[in-house]
């Protein structure tokens, strides 16, 4: 099996369950608060491991209880955590999530130790990059580090998958050139292209703009509408199963990880997308980040 390396954030999520997310100036009463392992990078690494992929991770945590919890949770599904550095005098990353009854959420992130995912840390763990076949990255770590890894990975012939979230505008065109796959959602596609989008045709135009910048394949996740695949030769929509949404936290991370696992096993892009949509459609029916990720047995029809 080909190896997957995730480079990204680790956060302990503090999820507040409430009827509706407050509007500006409004005070509302929450029902419960829970602590759940999260962070876009860690979510993807955890999902890769739980779905049967051979995964490792590079990232940073504090020397606190949260850091130990985050590492142990990854190790519980077989993720290699040797590339995760413990930073003294810095807390582990945190995310505060307001989760309303519709399943939608609002998230505030405090980076903490994630700010220490530097070029120097990458160089220290160069072995993990050399050994892997696929590299997954997101934007919850310093963007300069993401750019550095992208150039290094391309020079080694690795397959680079980028989840551009939180989305950043005005990134230089050279960054996108040569990336194998990006997976924005609708809002993230608007931010990275600088274009407002209202229709499915708009999404195709936006995705083609990223292909013109050098991205080989763009996969836009569209929530209950499924997703859109665009490359130089095609634009194809994939419909997804209609499910009762409980919590959308980590659904996109589950999709990205499942896509990478399927590709690492030799599935073609269409089958990999179907596999990823099946995984994320299960994730949205459960609360939490890593607690929502299904196992491979569940995707195969088992318990």
């Amino acid at each position: 099996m080909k190896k997957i390396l995730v480079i990204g954030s680790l956060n302990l999520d503090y999820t507040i369950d409430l009827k509706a997310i407050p509007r500006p100036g409004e005070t509302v009463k929450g029902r419960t608060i829970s602590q759940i392992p999260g962070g876009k990078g860690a979510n993807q690494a955890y999902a890769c491991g739980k779905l049967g992929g051979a995964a490792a991770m590079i990232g940073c945590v504090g020397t606190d209880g949260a850091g130990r919890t985050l590492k142990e949770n990854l190790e519980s599904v077989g993720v290699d955590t040797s590339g995760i550095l413990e930073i003294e005098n810095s807390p582990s990353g945190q995310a505060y999530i307001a989760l309303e009854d519709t399943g939608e959420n609002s998230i505030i992130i405090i980076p903490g130790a994630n700010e220490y995912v530097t070029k120097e840390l990458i160089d220290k763990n160069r072995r993990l990059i050399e050994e892997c076949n696929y590299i997954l990255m997101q934007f919850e770590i310093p963007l300069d580090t993401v750019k550095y890894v992208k150039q290094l990975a391309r020079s080694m012939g690795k397959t680079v998958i980028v989840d551009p979230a939180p989305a950043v505008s005005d990134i230089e065109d050279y960054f996108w050139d040569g990336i194998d796959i990006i997976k924005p959602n609708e809002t993230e596609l608007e931010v990275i292209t600088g274009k407002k989008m209202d229709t499915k045709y708009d999404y195709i135009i936006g995705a083609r703009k990223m292909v013109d910048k050098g991205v080989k394949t763009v996969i836009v996740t569209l929530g209950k509408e499924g997703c859109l695949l665009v490359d130089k030769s095609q634009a194809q929509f994939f419909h997804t199963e209609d499910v009762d949404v409980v919590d959308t936290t980590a659904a996109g991370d589950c999709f990205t990880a499942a896509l990478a696992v399927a590709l690492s096993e030799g599935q073609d892009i269409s089958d990999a997308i179907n596999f990823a949509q099946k995984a994320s459609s299960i994730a949205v029916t459960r609360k939490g980040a890593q607690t929502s990720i299904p196992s491979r047995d569940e995707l195969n029809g088992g318990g």
Side-chain angles (χ1 to χ4, degrees), residues 155-276:
S155 71
M156 294 182 180
K158 309 301 181 182
T159 298
V160 178
I161 302 174
V162 174
D163 183 346
V168 178
S169 61
D170 300 323
I171 295 179
E172 304 91 334
D173 285 353
Y174 78 81
F175 170 74
W176 303 109
D177 186 33
I179 291 178
D180 293 280
I181 299 172
I182 62 170
K183 190 226 66 69
N185 62 23
E186 313 102 297
T187 303
E188 291 153 2
L189 184 63
E190 288 185 351
V191 174
I192 63 178
T193 60
K195 299 293 183 181
K196 177 67 177 175
M197 299 174 195
D198 298 306
T199 68
K200 287 186 176 182
Y201 181 72
D202 291 336
Y203 298 134
I204 294 174
I205 296 300
R208 283 178 174 161
K209 183 175 181 179
M210 300 310 299
V211 172
D212 290 341
K213 291 185 178 186
V215 178
K216 294 180 181 178
T217 301
V218 180
I219 301 172
V220 187
T221 48
L222 303 169
K224 64 181 180 180
E225 299 299 323
C227 69
L228 166 67
L229 165 68
V230 174
D231 58 27
K232 285 186 176 180
S233 63
Q234 65 177 320
Q236 180 181 356
F237 285 95
F238 291 75
H239 297 290
T240 190
E241 182 182 355
D242 187 20
V243 297
D244 292 328
V245 176
V246 172
D247 184 359
T248 59
T249 305
D253 298 327
C254 182
F255 181 100
T256 303
L259 181 81
V261 169
L263 292 173
S264 75
E265 294 175 349
Q267 295 187 39
D268 64 26
I269 191 67
S270 294
D271 288 340
I273 287 174
N274 289 328
F275 180 79

Side-chain angles (χ1 to χ4, degrees), residues 26-299:
E26 182 183 16
T27 299
V28 300
K29 185 178 181 179
R31 291 189 288 254
T32 61
I33 184 168
S34 55
Q35 297 180 28
I36 301 171
K40 293 193 70 63
N43 292 343
Q44 292 176 14
Y46 182 87
C48 284
K50 194 165 184 180
L51 291 169
M57 183 170 183
I58 296 175
C60 291
V61 295
T63 56
D64 47 22
R68 290 191 294 275
T69 295
L70 292 167
K71 286 183 65 177
E72 288 172 0
N73 207 52
L74 293 177
E75 291 164 357
S76 73
V77 292
V79 176
D80 177 355
T81 62
S82 62
I84 297 178
L85 178 65
E86 295 182 1
I87 305 295
E88 294 186 5
N89 303 317
S90 177
S92 296
Q94 303 163 60
Y96 292 84
I97 303 171
L99 172 64
E100 64 177 33
D101 287 346
T102 64
E104 293 301 320
N105 59 45
S106 179
I107 305 174
I108 299 172
I109 294 172
I110 300 176
N114 292 310
E115 296 285 8
Y116 291 88
V117 183
T118 62
K119 298 176 184 178
E120 290 74 22
L121 180 64
I122 300 304
D123 289 339
K124 182 180 178 181
N125 290 281
R126 188 183 178 99
R127 171 188 60 83
L128 292 175
I129 297 177
E130 292 171 345
E131 292 177 352
C132 79
N133 305 95
Y134 293 83
I135 294 180
L136 274 60
M137 292 186 289
Q138 327 75 34
F139 290 170
E140 285 185 350
I141 57 174
L143 188 56
D144 283 346
T145 303
V146 177
K147 293 176 180 178
Y148 179 70
V149 173
K150 178 258 176 176
Q151 292 176 314
L152 183 62
R154 293 306 301 165
S155 71
M156 294 182 180
K158 309 301 181 182
T159 298
V160 178
I161 302 174
V162 174
D163 183 346
V168 178
S169 61
D170 300 323
I171 295 179
E172 304 91 334
D173 285 353
Y174 78 81
F175 170 74
W176 303 109
D177 186 33
I179 291 178
D180 293 280
I181 299 172
I182 62 170
K183 190 226 66 69
N185 62 23
E186 313 102 297
T187 303
E188 291 153 2
L189 184 63
E190 288 185 351
V191 174
I192 63 178
T193 60
K195 299 293 183 181
K196 177 67 177 175
M197 299 174 195
D198 298 306
T199 68
K200 287 186 176 182
Y201 181 72
D202 291 336
Y203 298 134
I204 294 174
I205 296 300
R208 283 178 174 161
K209 183 175 181 179
M210 300 310 299
V211 172
D212 290 341
K213 291 185 178 186
V215 178
K216 294 180 181 178
T217 301
V218 180
I219 301 172
V220 187
T221 48
L222 303 169
K224 64 181 180 180
E225 299 299 323
C227 69
L228 166 67
L229 165 68
V230 174
D231 58 27
K232 285 186 176 180
S233 63
Q234 65 177 320
Q236 180 181 356
F237 285 95
F238 291 75
H239 297 290
T240 190
E241 182 182 355
D242 187 20
V243 297
D244 292 328
V245 176
V246 172
D247 184 359
T248 59
T249 305
D253 298 327
C254 182
F255 181 100
T256 303
L259 181 81
V261 169
L263 292 173
S264 75
E265 294 175 349
Q267 295 187 39
D268 64 26
I269 191 67
S270 294
D271 288 340
I273 287 174
N274 289 328
F275 180 79
Q277 291 205 137
K278 185 175 181 180
S280 59
S281 69
I282 294 175
V284 298
T285 66
R286 302 168 175 171
K287 290 186 178 181
Q290 290 169 35
T291 50
S292 72
I293 305 300
S295 68
R296 188 59 173 264
D297 283 347
E298 290 177 280
L299 266 68

